[in-house]
Amino acid sequence: MARNSMFSNPKYVLVVVACICFALAVLTTAGILSFGKIDWTNLGLFFGFLSFIV
């Protein structure tokens, strides 16, 4: 019987993507990274909200 990996669960993937977006938002705000006009905080909130819907 095959075990399911964590990455096969869409909720887990969305939470990981949301955490990455929030980390990029912190690094952008701190001035360590610069990515133009992408609002990483709103993108993180979007993916976090999607993880609760799925």
Side-chain angles (χ1 to χ4, degrees):
M1 186 170 187
R3 290 176 33 188
N4 291 337
S5 71
M6 292 189 305
F7 292 109
S8 66
N9 185 0
K11 184 177 283 193
Y12 179 78
V13 174
L14 287 172
V15 168
V16 169
V17 170
C19 289
I20 291 171
C21 289
F22 283 126
L24 289 173
V26 168
L27 292 175
T28 304
T29 304
I32 296 172
L33 296 175
S34 135
F35 285 113
K37 299 199 183 251
I38 298 174
D39 192 359
W40 292 102
T41 305
N42 287 341
L43 199 58
L45 288 172
F46 174 72
F47 284 117
F49 182 69
L50 275 180
S51 71
F52 287 109
I53 292 176
V54 170

